[in-house]
Amino acid sequence: MLLGLHMIVKNEAEWLANCLDSIQEFVDEIIIVDTGSTDQTRDIAKTYGAKVISTEWKDDFSMARNSSLAHANTDWILYMDADEVFTGNGNELRDTLQNSTRHAYFVEIESLIGSSLHEKTIHPSIRFFRAKENYLFSGPIHEDILPSIQEKTANKTEIGKLACKLVHYGYLPVISQAKNKAARNVFILEKALRTHQNHPYYLYHLGMAYENLGEFEKAKLAIEKSLQVCEEKLSYRPTIVKDLCKLYRKLNQTYLTRALLERELENYSDYPDLYYQFGHAYLCEKDDEKALRMFKKATEVQHCSQYVTEAGCNHFLSFTEMGKVAVQWSAHSDALNYFIQALNFCPYYEEALYGITDILIAAQLSDDEIVKELNQLLTPSLNNPALKEAVEVALCHALYYGGCYKAFIARVDGLKGRPPELQDQYVLSLLLSSDELRAIHEVERMQQANAAVPDHLFNALFLNALERDSDIPSVCLKWMEQQSNHAYYSQLIEGVKNEFSAEKQMNFLLFLKPLIHLCITNRYYSLLTKVLMSCPELRLYAAKMMFYEGYSQLARPLFETLNHDNKLDGEGTFLLGQMLYAEEDWAQASYCFEAALKLQPAITEAHTGAGLCYLQQAKTELTQSVENFPEYPLFAAHLQKVNLSIELASKSRWSAVWRGKQRRNTLCQIPSPSV
Amino acid sequence: MPNTISLCMIVKDEEHVLADCLESVKNLVSEMIIVDTGSTDRTVQIAKNYGARVIETDWRNDFSWARNLGVEQATCDWILFLDADESLDPASLDDVRAWANYEEAEAYFFKIYNFFSDTEASINPTIRMFRNLPAYRFTGSIHEQISETIQQHKPDARFVMTNVKINHCGYQPSIYSAKNKSQRNISLLLKELERNPNHAFHQYNIGVEYLQTGEIEKSLAAFQKSIELVDPLSNYAHLLYKFESRCYGALNRLEEAIESCNRGLAKYPDYTDLFHYKGTYYLAMGKNSEAEESLDRAYSLSEPLKYHTESGIGTFTTAYLLGLANEALGDDERALHFYFASYKQNPAHLRPIFRAFQLIRNNGKEHELYELIHQKFKVSTFKDRSVIQDILVRCHCYKTVLRFIENWLEEDWIGTHEKVHLRELQLECRLLSGEPVLENEWNSHSKLKNLTGETLPPAFHPNFAENKLHSLVDTERMAHLLFATGCFHHFHTYMKEWKTKEKHTQKTFEISSRYQRAQTLSSIAEQHFSAFLQNQKIELVRSAKTVLPFDEGLIPYEPRLY
């Protein structure tokens, strides 16, 4: 017999059939080691004609796997896990094995790690090997056959590579009980490390298990240790480096990434993931120029299959990051190109679509023009329906976050179904397009369909009615009655219609806060004005939120009033400084930044702002001096230095940056609420 | 019997300078023959007072003709010729006498020092003394030359390069109205070139004049024409390459400027100036290691002996630029070495010291500065102390000033008046370095009193006493004090007032004031960036801080009395 499938399983009833369906017709025997299932696993296996060997679980994967090898009757062995499926041409595979002179084969394992199509990692693994050579697995977890093969065959060319793929979906958050698995792995690995002290492979997986458990500091210790003891020649060493970088990013310690990669990059100069991580490290340090260079490099290196690569690092993810940097520098046409390149590799990548929308907004295009441009960009011949839908959904998201509410509604209406992830945005868009009747209808429909309606949708309907002085929809009233704080709703209605009670409780103010934010995002300005008139305590909050939502022009008088009354805190003063800086009132702006620092020294960006204010003043002075006294070259030389310094410091992202709908808000002219 | 020397000159309206010139050689020469081309002032009178034979003639637009008129009359063994705005350096008198008795030579090069300021000069070796033979006569109607006829009559004639120094003050701005003189020369030369367009020397001279008037393109064309025509052995041939490269430099065509230096170096491989200028062009291009290499060559060649050069090339200016190149390359150790070397060779230039101190402070190594100053400088006199205080304060090295003051206050031999000043400065430096200072301490300071009030105290206004440049340094320090004490409002008022007041000062002062004010603003920006960097490691802000301009000591130190 040619090929046998070997597996070890425990309680895999849910997945096993999936796995066996994909491979059954191409294998001649199936040998399954069961380590104590309490579900239907064994029965399912038997329906596929598998030979099932029951054994006791001894915290050692290698031991379990090796126990099945002894029963092999075939020339070749394939081993799989229950959460994997085989894809590819099975007949071709059999032909290859039939005529093979090699000892073993790599296949690509594609691990899905998120719900989106592109979220996957790819790495090669030896899964086919000759049965008669007595190769044995080693290592109690993440058992490996390679050392045994290498021991017996001098030449690495004995190992080939097959075209088929195994898709591994066990890491998907919805499927796996990753935590349980991780906890189990920690247990096994710690046990293994007691006998194999400082074993790099175990240390690495211990670290990864800790990471799954959310214990990042422990993970860091283990993986750093692993890298320290890992010999340079070991094939999984670059993966350790990559995962350590990712961990540093999670821990917000990207300066460690930088130090690590400055040492390691030259060893793995063709590993795109490392450049991608390096790019992110630079982004965290606000060194966008170096970041850009790294992302570019990630897209340029020749992809080499020996590395564990996360899909997109070498193209669309990196291109998108490059686009974002270019937008920061207002290099919009460059940015557009980067985003388009990203879409070439992943047409439904939302970040790239959103980036393009953002640029079109910055160019002050109308909604219709934006939709037109986006349509032109999309690949005309998307045949795969799943892909097509993914693109549509991503495009809808991009339209919503770009504030193109009418276009968003039209697009969603054009979809066959209503993807649940768009429902929430759909209702809000209807309200923002003053179509409250349909919005109410939608919410009612959601309730009828037993879909969970988020609180803020009810709040939005409620505030909309208050703003327009219309009746509160009954679906809303019903919901409010069920709320523990329904008294506050009445209080608010009373306050808006007649007068707020003079005495306001702290809890009532806290209740108002998210509603004020909603008033701002949904532009209920008369309501907002009424509330702020009676609740001066909330003015500072409202001013800040207006600023962050992009309504800085609108917020400006409110900031002035608050400043005049000495009611601005450090953050508020810093924001006022940013507005003054944008208006090129350098002296007043620096005064604000310095005042902000006195109030709240932790706002260190105010230092950058203040420094820039002084340089802008120096620039004005020097420019004038250059004009008035052209015969003194020193002024020009100084001006050049000051200009350079301004350029550098300005790129350090010290002030607020608006994208998408917030950016759109900065451009629109709406009368400001008077307080 | 020692050989004798005739002085031959041509003059016109030189009453301001002639006496100095004749005074410098009266004990050297046996006769003075002065051709006057129509003076209307006291020139002839002055010449006669020195016993000169004066030949009065009209001006015929021909320098050679006029000079030869004098030479014809000379009776001594040698002819020395000078311009009225030149004088022989007293230290060279004995040299000239010795050369007059040397039998092997036909003519001598003396070094003409052209002074631009008290310390900056260009040095040009030129023939100024030749054997009095009938065949040796001047040629060329402007920039007349003697070498042509000497070489014609005695092809193996020896010209000797000497260290005899002639001081020429003709280029000092106060005396030399460059434009007019250049315009006059240009029209003369154009006439010559009309007749004789392939005259290398005229092309060279008109190039120099065009450079003066800022007509760089014309200048470049002239030098290139001259290079085509010139005899490589003539005494100005090497200069053509320097001027050609400087033209390219002025036109910001730096690649070509460098190529021009290289062509020159192929012919004159030991011409320091070409290496030096090549280095400056590389610096301007940001090619720092190439700059370093070229400047290093210039520095090891040192000042050239037989070529036209400028003071500082091969010595202190080259060293300063080497410092800059090394700083840009990140080799701070070497940068400091050259800054100090530059200072040592020309202590009148403090710029390298300013740079060195800034560099040390920026590297966070101010704590080493005190020891370093003790190694490199002698700080014993009142002036030494003042200079060092001044530089350190202007480089914002307040902690180091404080260490010095602490020691000085304990010295018995330092006077009470100085100590009063030192105590005030001590308090200022404590404030400026961010040390906490009690309010009653402030009030012990004559100026800092009442600083915390609503309005600026009277002592705290920009004060440009008599337009003394150094008052700007004080003004800046006061601004910094207001900032350091957190009186931002006062600081803004103060800066505004500074700007208003400077408008009513003389132009040169206004320029310095604007310069210093921009300096103050960028220095405050630097403080903000530093504060930011204490908490965050953002490379962009660090770079923004590094590229900022800083006080390089361009406003000279002025001693003050207490």
Side-chain angles (χ1 to χ4, degrees):
Chain A
M1 287 194 288
L2 179 67
L3 179 60
L5 169 68
H6 292 239
M7 306 177 72
I8 51 172
V9 295
K10 184 183 179 183
N11 291 339
E12 304 281 7
E14 212 176 338
W15 316 114
L16 187 60
N18 235 345
C19 168
L20 295 177
D21 280 340
S22 71
I23 189 74
Q24 185 194 22
E25 60 177 301
F26 308 119
V27 295
D28 307 307
E29 70 173 349
I30 300 173
I31 298 175
I32 291 181
V33 175
D34 186 283
T35 59
S37 293
T38 52
D39 63 0
Q40 307 282 306
T41 302
R42 264 173 292 204
D43 299 334
I44 294 169
K46 280 176 188 157
T47 63
Y48 287 85
K51 177 173 184 181
V52 178
I53 303 158
S54 294
T55 173
E56 202 184 320
W57 175 239
K58 291 192 178 132
D59 288 339
D60 189 329
F61 278 97
S62 291
M63 193 189 277
R65 285 223 191 273
N66 289 332
S67 71
S68 94
L69 296 185
H71 294 92
N73 299 305
T74 53
D75 295 337
W76 287 89
I77 286 168
L78 156 65
Y79 76 92
M80 286 175 73
D81 286 332
D83 54 3
E84 294 173 340
V85 291
F86 173 89
T87 64
N89 188 330
N91 296 322
E92 214 167 77
L93 163 73
R94 286 183 68 90
D95 283 349
T96 310
L97 294 176
Q98 194 85 58
N99 304 318
S100 173
T101 59
R102 297 182 194 263
H103 288 251
Y105 282 98
F106 281 106
V107 289
E108 260 187 14
I109 314 287
E110 205 177 277
S111 296
L112 307 182
I113 50 177
S115 55
S116 195
L117 294 176
H118 64 267
E119 290 176 277
K120 60 192 176 194
T121 67
I122 302 149
H123 73 281
S125 170
I126 296 182
R127 288 303 183 87
F128 292 86
F129 53 91
R130 284 190 190 276
K132 309 242 160 75
E133 301 291 335
N134 293 328
Y135 300 133
L136 287 174
F137 287 95
S138 55
I141 190 171
H142 299 284
E143 61 287 356
D144 198 351
I145 195 80
L146 183 64
S148 170
I149 296 173
Q150 275 173 336
E151 214 171 88
K152 298 193 177 189
T153 57
N155 202 334
K156 218 187 163 180
T157 56
E158 305 278 355
I159 307 174
K161 190 166 180 262
L162 291 168
C164 56
K165 257 198 295 198
L166 301 181
V167 176
H168 173 222
Y169 50 87
Y171 287 155
L172 281 176
V174 282
I175 292 170
S176 87
Q177 317 81 359
K179 286 211 168 171
N180 286 338
K181 225 174 180 177
R184 181 201 67 183
N185 286 354
V186 166
F187 178 75
I188 298 172
L189 287 162
E190 277 180 343
K191 192 173 158 195
L193 279 164
R194 255 171 260 144
T195 42
H196 301 86
Q197 269 190 359
N198 286 339
H199 192 292
Y201 200 64
Y202 303 158
L203 278 168
Y204 164 63
H205 282 286
L206 180 64
M208 295 307 283
Y210 273 130
E211 190 183 345
N212 276 332
L213 291 171
E215 297 192 47
F216 297 140
E217 281 298 339
K218 277 186 181 169
K220 176 179 154 189
L221 278 178
I223 298 180
E224 278 177 344
K225 181 82 196 168
S226 157
L227 189 65
Q228 211 181 348
V229 295
C230 186
E231 286 175 61
E232 296 229 342
K233 60 169 203 249
L234 289 173
S235 63
Y236 54 89
R237 197 171 176 281
T239 315
I240 302 182
V241 175
K242 180 209 74 177
D243 283 322
L244 190 52
C245 291
K246 286 177 68 182
L247 190 59
Y248 287 149
R249 205 172 136 202
K250 276 193 185 152
L251 283 163
N252 226 347
Q253 296 172 343
T254 45
Y255 56 94
L256 292 173
T257 305
R258 208 151 74 97
L260 173 67
L261 289 180
E262 268 161 16
R263 285 198 309 274
E264 295 288 345
L265 198 58
E266 59 183 77
N267 298 328
Y268 312 111
S269 58
D270 49 351
Y271 191 0
D273 295 47
L274 295 189
Y275 291 105
Y276 179 74
Q277 295 300 337
F278 214 161
H280 272 293
Y282 279 129
L283 278 188
C284 287
E285 293 175 28
K286 303 189 180 179
D287 196 339
D288 294 355
E289 207 161 319
K290 291 208 178 98
L292 187 79
R293 235 176 285 157
M294 284 299 159
F295 289 126
K296 196 160 192 302
K297 195 83 202 215
T299 66
E300 284 167 355
V301 290
Q302 271 304 316
H303 179 60
C304 181
S305 66
Q306 78 189 63
Y307 296 119
V308 177
T309 307
E310 294 181 22
C313 285
N314 56 337
H315 39 76
F316 72 89
L317 291 178
S318 288
F319 279 127
T320 305
E321 293 302 334
M322 286 156 81
K324 281 158 120 176
V325 170
V327 171
Q328 297 268 349
W329 298 348
S330 299
H332 288 161
S333 66
D334 287 344
L336 202 57
N337 276 330
Y338 289 134
F339 289 134
I340 290 171
Q341 291 203 60
L343 291 178
N344 284 341
F345 287 96
C346 183
Y348 50 85
Y349 191 49
E350 197 184 304
E351 272 295 311
L353 281 167
Y354 175 53
I356 292 174
T357 315
D358 180 43
I359 291 169
L360 299 175
I361 289 167
Q364 309 211 19
L365 261 57
S366 71
D367 283 17
D368 289 346
E369 288 168 315
I370 290 174
V371 175
K372 208 173 123 198
E373 290 293 326
L374 285 173
N375 275 333
Q376 275 173 4
L377 285 172
L378 293 177
T379 329
S381 56
L382 279 176
N383 298 323
N384 181 341
L387 203 59
K388 205 166 174 180
E389 192 191 316
V391 173
E392 275 301 322
V393 170
L395 189 66
C396 289
H397 275 296
L399 287 173
Y400 176 78
Y401 288 114
C404 310
Y405 302 116
K406 287 216 164 89
F408 168 82
I409 293 166
R411 199 99 196 170
V412 175
D413 288 343
L415 294 178
K416 270 190 214 121
R418 173 81 41 79
E421 67 261 40
L422 294 176
Q423 186 67 61
D424 185 6
Q425 299 168 1
Y426 188 68
V427 176
L428 289 172
S429 296
L430 286 170
L431 283 175
L432 278 158
S433 323
S434 306
D435 197 347
E436 57 244 50
L437 286 180
R438 271 179 75 197
I440 296 164
H441 178 72
E442 272 301 314
V443 172
E444 285 166 354
R445 209 181 55 81
M446 282 166 80
Q447 275 190 330
Q448 281 158 19
N450 274 333
V453 182
D455 288 358
H456 67 259
L457 288 190
F458 290 115
N459 280 333
L461 289 181
F462 165 69
L463 293 173
N464 185 67
L466 280 189
E467 168 79 7
R468 320 234 178 270
D469 203 13
S470 55
D471 290 339
I472 295 162
S474 58
V475 60
C476 224
L477 285 170
K478 237 180 270 164
W479 173 81
M480 276 155 55
E481 275 162 25
Q482 292 156 15
Q483 301 306 303
S484 57
N485 55 0
H486 63 269
Y488 291 149
Y489 284 97
S490 320
Q491 209 175 324
L492 177 57
I493 297 167
E494 176 61 22
V496 172
K497 296 236 160 101
N498 301 307
E499 213 171 307
F500 281 93
S501 57
E503 197 89 355
K504 283 181 288 290
Q505 287 172 321
M506 193 59 189
N507 280 338
F508 179 60
L509 292 173
L510 288 176
F511 158 79
L512 285 179
K513 261 184 147 181
L515 299 188
I516 282 184
H517 192 185
L518 253 177
C519 282
I520 293 166
T521 52
N522 282 18
R523 303 176 191 158
Y524 301 145
Y525 292 121
S526 60
L527 176 61
L528 182 66
T529 309
K530 275 184 207 157
V531 174
L532 291 185
M533 288 282 267
S534 318
C535 307
E537 302 89 337
L538 291 170
R539 283 179 199 168
L540 180 60
Y541 172 77
K544 287 186 198 168
M545 289 328 280
M546 283 166 84
F547 179 90
Y548 288 126
E549 288 296 339
Y551 299 110
S552 55
Q553 281 308 312
L554 232 63
R556 184 64 208 278
L558 195 51
F559 272 102
E560 292 285 358
T561 318
L562 288 164
N563 189 35
H564 184 262
D565 301 344
N566 260 333
K567 289 279 161 53
L568 283 182
D569 61 355
E571 184 193 7
T573 315
F574 179 47
L575 297 184
L576 178 58
Q578 288 185 38
M579 290 185 245
L580 289 161
Y581 187 86
E583 291 162 23
E584 305 193 354
D585 188 347
W586 317 123
Q588 282 304 313
S590 71
Y591 203 59
C592 276
F593 292 138
E594 276 149 1
L597 284 162
K598 263 189 181 170
L599 289 163
Q600 205 174 327
I603 309 177
T604 50
E605 274 77 14
H607 276 301
T608 312
L612 276 167
C613 287
Y614 289 108
L615 289 186
Q616 295 283 11
Q617 292 179 58
K619 180 182 171 177
T620 314
E621 291 297 326
L622 286 167
T623 311
Q624 213 180 67
S625 300
V626 170
E627 270 169 33
N628 295 354
F629 309 102
E631 67 273 31
Y632 289 81
L634 254 181
F635 287 127
H638 271 45
L639 180 60
Q640 211 182 350
K641 289 178 188 169
V642 167
N643 278 337
L644 181 60
S645 182
I646 290 175
E647 193 189 326
L648 289 166
S650 301
K651 279 185 182 170
S652 72
R653 282 187 262 138
W654 62 277
S655 59
V657 179
W658 293 281
R659 297 182 65 199
K661 56 181 178 179
Q662 277 91 5
R663 184 200 287 279
R664 173 186 289 258
N665 294 341
T666 62
L667 302 170
C668 75
Q669 304 285 331
I670 296 169
S672 121
S674 49
V675 173
Chain B
M1 244 214 17
N3 283 335
T4 52
I5 304 173
S6 302
L7 172 74
C8 291
M9 299 177 68
I10 52 173
V11 294
K12 184 185 179 186
D13 291 339
E14 308 280 11
E15 64 176 7
H16 296 294
V17 287
L18 186 61
D20 283 347
C21 172
L22 298 179
E23 188 70 30
S24 76
V25 294
K26 67 174 188 193
N27 295 326
L28 173 73
V29 299
S30 310
E31 61 176 355
M32 295 176 174
I33 300 161
I34 294 182
V35 176
D36 186 284
T37 58
S39 293
T40 54
D41 66 354
R42 292 176 49 250
T43 300
V44 173
Q45 189 56 45
I46 294 167
K48 284 184 175 160
N49 287 349
Y50 278 88
R53 178 136 44 100
V54 178
I55 302 167
E56 296 190 48
T57 175
D58 51 348
W59 174 242
R60 297 188 188 174
N61 279 336
D62 189 334
F63 278 99
S64 292
W65 176 84
R67 279 219 193 276
N68 290 333
L69 211 59
V71 173
E72 301 284 349
Q73 309 286 325
T75 59
C76 298
D77 304 301
W78 291 89
I79 289 170
L80 165 70
F81 63 103
L82 294 174
D83 286 337
D85 53 5
E86 293 172 343
S87 60
L88 190 69
D89 199 86
S92 296
L93 281 170
D94 287 339
D95 272 358
V96 181
R97 286 193 190 101
W99 289 119
N101 289 309
Y102 182 63
E103 294 300 331
E104 308 289 317
E106 294 305 300
Y108 294 108
F109 281 94
F110 293 169
K111 286 188 172 167
I112 318 286
Y113 280 69
N114 293 305
F115 286 92
F116 302 122
S117 71
D118 289 346
T119 51
E120 281 174 273
S122 91
I123 305 157
N124 197 6
T126 314
I127 294 179
R128 279 310 165 95
M129 195 160 90
F130 58 94
R131 228 170 254 286
N132 186 5
L133 294 177
Y136 298 171
R137 290 294 180 261
F138 285 96
T139 51
S141 63
I142 184 176
H143 295 289
E144 62 288 1
Q145 281 205 98
I146 193 72
S147 60
E148 217 172 298
T149 51
I150 299 178
Q151 271 170 339
Q152 271 167 21
H153 290 272
K154 194 172 180 185
D156 59 344
R158 274 200 66 192
F159 298 155
V160 176
M161 191 66 61
T162 74
N163 277 323
V164 171
K165 186 175 172 190
I166 289 171
N167 296 320
H168 176 223
C169 53
Y171 289 103
Q172 265 185 3
S174 51
I175 298 175
Y176 183 48
S177 61
K179 286 248 158 101
N180 291 337
K181 207 165 171 180
S182 291
Q183 288 309 347
R184 188 203 66 187
N185 288 349
I186 286 171
S187 57
L188 277 177
L189 285 162
L190 282 174
K191 246 182 235 168
E192 279 288 335
L193 283 167
E194 219 168 275
R195 257 185 289 153
N196 191 0
N198 286 335
H199 197 287
F201 194 58
H202 292 331
Q203 290 286 5
Y204 156 70
N205 281 310
I206 203 166
V208 174
E209 301 299 347
Y210 280 136
L211 204 57
Q212 286 283 350
T213 57
E215 295 166 271
I216 311 291
E217 260 110 4
K218 285 186 183 170
S219 171
L220 178 62
F223 287 129
Q224 287 177 335
K225 185 85 186 163
S226 183
I227 288 175
E228 255 173 52
L229 300 165
V230 76
D231 169 5
L233 291 174
S234 58
N235 63 354
Y236 63 91
H238 64 279
L239 254 172
L240 289 169
Y241 294 96
K242 177 160 94 171
F243 279 124
E244 186 195 27
S245 82
R246 281 179 57 184
C247 286
Y248 279 127
L251 294 167
N252 207 20
R253 288 158 64 176
L254 301 175
E255 299 275 359
E256 289 159 283
I258 288 166
E259 280 164 26
S260 158
C261 288
N262 286 338
R263 283 195 296 276
L265 284 166
K267 293 205 170 80
Y268 313 100
D270 54 347
Y271 190 11
T272 313
D273 297 41
L274 293 176
F275 281 115
H276 175 93
Y277 274 105
K278 194 168 133 183
T280 63
Y281 305 136
Y282 276 128
L283 266 187
M285 290 163 81
K287 293 192 172 174
N288 296 308
S289 41
E290 285 90 342
E292 214 266 351
E293 198 192 323
S294 192
L295 290 166
D296 202 43
R297 288 289 296 276
Y299 196 59
S300 53
L301 281 170
S302 191
E303 194 175 283
L305 290 175
K306 34 183 200 185
Y307 304 118
H308 172 275
T309 190
E310 292 146 57
S311 70
I313 287 187
T315 57
F316 60 90
T317 310
T318 308
Y320 175 65
L321 294 177
L322 267 168
L324 292 182
N326 277 292
E327 201 183 324
L329 286 168
D331 192 340
D332 296 341
E333 197 93 350
R334 224 169 120 76
L336 288 176
H337 164 79
F338 282 116
Y339 288 146
F340 287 120
S342 173
Y343 170 73
K344 214 168 195 170
Q345 293 172 44
N346 186 358
H349 274 199
L350 292 174
R351 218 163 153 184
I353 294 304
F354 273 85
R355 274 215 92 104
F357 286 5
Q358 293 280 4
L359 183 60
I360 290 165
R361 182 175 65 84
N362 265 329
N363 287 348
K365 291 192 174 164
E366 202 195 316
H367 55 277
E368 294 173 10
L369 190 51
Y370 181 78
E371 296 302 327
L372 192 71
I373 292 172
H374 272 297
Q375 278 170 29
K376 301 273 178 190
F377 303 87
K378 177 178 67 74
V379 189
S380 49
T381 65
F382 168 73
K383 192 182 172 209
D384 296 341
R385 287 193 295 277
S386 311
V387 171
I388 217 71
Q389 275 169 45
D390 184 67
I391 302 177
L392 285 172
V393 169
R394 286 167 68 181
C395 292
H396 312 296
C397 300
Y398 306 120
K399 292 232 150 69
T400 313
V401 186
L402 286 171
R403 279 187 73 181
F404 273 106
I405 293 179
E406 260 164 50
N407 284 336
W408 290 337
L409 285 176
E410 279 170 23
E411 300 291 354
D412 294 335
W413 40 269
I414 292 179
T416 3
H417 288 300
E418 193 183 339
K419 279 186 177 168
V420 171
H421 157 78
L422 286 175
R423 281 199 194 90
E424 292 208 345
L425 185 64
Q426 187 180 34
L427 188 73
E428 289 175 22
C429 287
R430 281 175 61 198
L431 280 166
L432 287 164
S433 66
E435 257 183 53
V437 176
L438 297 172
E439 195 158 336
N440 61 342
E441 285 184 277
W442 290 26
N443 286 331
S444 70
H445 190 291
S446 59
K447 281 189 176 165
L448 294 175
K449 258 183 247 172
N450 310 319
L451 191 59
T452 41
E454 280 288 305
T455 52
L456 219 52
F460 248 102
H461 292 283
N463 178 14
F464 306 138
E466 298 158 41
N467 285 350
K468 278 245 165 77
L469 277 183
H470 216 77
S471 63
L472 290 171
V473 176
D474 292 332
T475 306
E476 171 169 27
R477 197 172 72 254
M478 289 301 130
H480 274 292
L481 269 170
L482 287 171
F483 185 81
T485 46
C487 305
F488 301 125
H489 195 72
H490 288 342
F491 172 77
H492 288 290
T493 318
Y494 188 86
M495 292 303 285
K496 248 186 235 165
E497 203 175 311
W498 182 353
K499 187 176 175 177
T500 318
K501 272 197 179 169
E502 94 194 346
K503 281 185 192 145
H504 306 293
T505 59
Q506 292 164 2
K507 186 181 166 192
T508 48
F509 186 86
E510 190 194 342
I511 283 163
S512 302
S513 176
R514 283 171 158 274
Y515 170 77
Q516 201 67 16
R517 204 153 44 79
Q519 200 72 77
T520 308
L521 288 167
S522 65
S523 154
I524 298 283
E526 190 206 296
Q527 287 185 45
H528 271 297
F529 289 158
S530 299
F532 174 82
L533 289 165
Q534 272 182 359
N535 295 297
Q536 300 212 34
K537 297 177 190 142
I538 304 294
E539 204 52 45
L540 276 166
V541 179
R542 191 183 308 284
S543 312
K545 182 186 150 192
T546 319
V547 301
L548 281 175
F550 54 81
D551 194 336
E552 291 183 71
L554 294 182
I555 290 181
Y557 168 76
E558 267 173 38
R560 276 163 295 178
L561 299 171
Y562 308 114

